[in-house]
Amino acid sequence: MRNKNESNKLAKECIVTALIELMKVQDYNSITITDLAKKAGVSRMAYYRNYTSKEDIINKFADDVGASIHEKLSLLMPKADVFDYYYELFSQLGDYSDLVLTAYDGGLGELIHSQITKNMALTFPPLGNSAADLYRHVYLAGAFYNIFIEWLRGGRRESVSEMAQLCCSFSCEGCRLTFGKGVINHE
């Protein structure tokens, strides 16, 4: 049983890598399961034993990354704070910048955003039924998604620590709008 699990894990890794490599040279929508299996060096049966679609590959991969981030944060608890959370997000997701940018450039931004929103809901579950409770994770996910993509597209010039600090400060600032010389504060 152990060898079968290791074999499935290796097949999954090969399939994810194959998808990334194919997306670099080919439009995502034109990639076939046959292309994936061939590039990964696995049979179609091995592919279907692990995945149901190309989106399934990305979704399961994102679920694994999200679980890893949550696991790492749980080890930091109860000392973890908002900075630690953003630090782990940028640190671990930054390790997958190649995949994220390839997926984003391939028109899969909504899939990435959806996964970030799903994981934010796990981290910041609604505490009640108020509008704030229901929309908190959606707001945080949208803000993080946009900042993260811009950071990746800019070549990750700022450090993980700088990005975590920026997100903390943005979260604490509230909503400030500047019109001309005056500032309208909506806190």
Side-chain angles (χ1 to χ4, degrees):
M1 185 64 114
R2 185 174 183 204
N3 284 340
K4 187 175 181 178
N5 288 340
E6 289 174 9
S7 178
N8 275 346
K9 183 178 178 183
L10 179 59
K12 286 180 181 180
E13 290 172 6
C14 289
I15 292 167
V16 169
T17 301
L19 180 59
I20 294 167
E21 294 303 315
L22 286 170
M23 286 173 59
K24 288 179 182 177
V25 296
Q26 194 173 334
D27 179 61
Y28 173 80
N29 291 320
S30 71
I31 298 170
T32 66
I33 302 308
T34 301
D35 295 335
L36 269 172
K38 184 178 177 182
K39 182 79 171 171
V42 301
S43 67
R44 286 176 61 90
M45 187 184 328
Y47 172 85
Y48 283 113
R49 190 173 28 249
N50 292 290
Y51 300 106
T52 59
S53 67
K54 294 180 293 187
E55 292 79 13
D56 191 33
I57 297 169
I58 295 170
N59 284 328
K60 286 182 178 178
F61 183 77
D63 286 344
D64 291 345
V65 171
S68 174
I69 291 169
H70 288 286
E71 180 181 324
K72 202 159 196 182
L73 286 171
S74 71
L75 296 174
L76 297 173
M77 296 298 185
K79 299 181 294 184
D81 59 14
V82 174
F83 176 85
D84 295 325
Y85 177 71
Y86 282 118
Y87 186 91
E88 286 305 318
L89 281 178
F90 280 103
S91 179
Q92 290 197 37
L93 291 177
D95 289 344
Y96 302 106
S97 60
D98 194 30
L99 171 63
V100 174
L101 281 176
T102 301
Y104 180 82
D105 291 341
L108 300 175
E110 183 56 39
L111 187 62
I112 298 165
H113 182 264
S114 174
Q115 280 293 327
I116 291 172
T117 302
K118 182 173 130 184
N119 280 292
M120 287 277 185
L122 296 174
T123 304
F124 305 104
L127 302 173
N129 289 323
S130 73
D133 289 325
L134 297 175
Y135 294 115
R136 178 181 295 110
H137 71 277
V138 174
Y139 170 79
L140 293 170
F144 175 77
Y145 167 78
N146 285 302
I147 289 170
F148 181 65
I149 292 295
E150 192 60 32
W151 180 61
L152 294 181
R153 292 179 77 208
R156 299 170 57 183
R157 289 184 306 270
E158 298 80 11
S159 71
V160 167
S161 185
E162 288 172 312
M163 293 308 296
Q165 188 58 51
L166 281 173
C167 285
C168 285
S169 68
F170 295 155
S171 296
C172 294
E173 280 182 13
C175 178
R176 263 183 235 165
L177 301 175
T178 305
F179 292 104
K181 296 180 183 177
V183 173
I184 300 172
N185 190 345
H186 291 280
E187 293 180 43

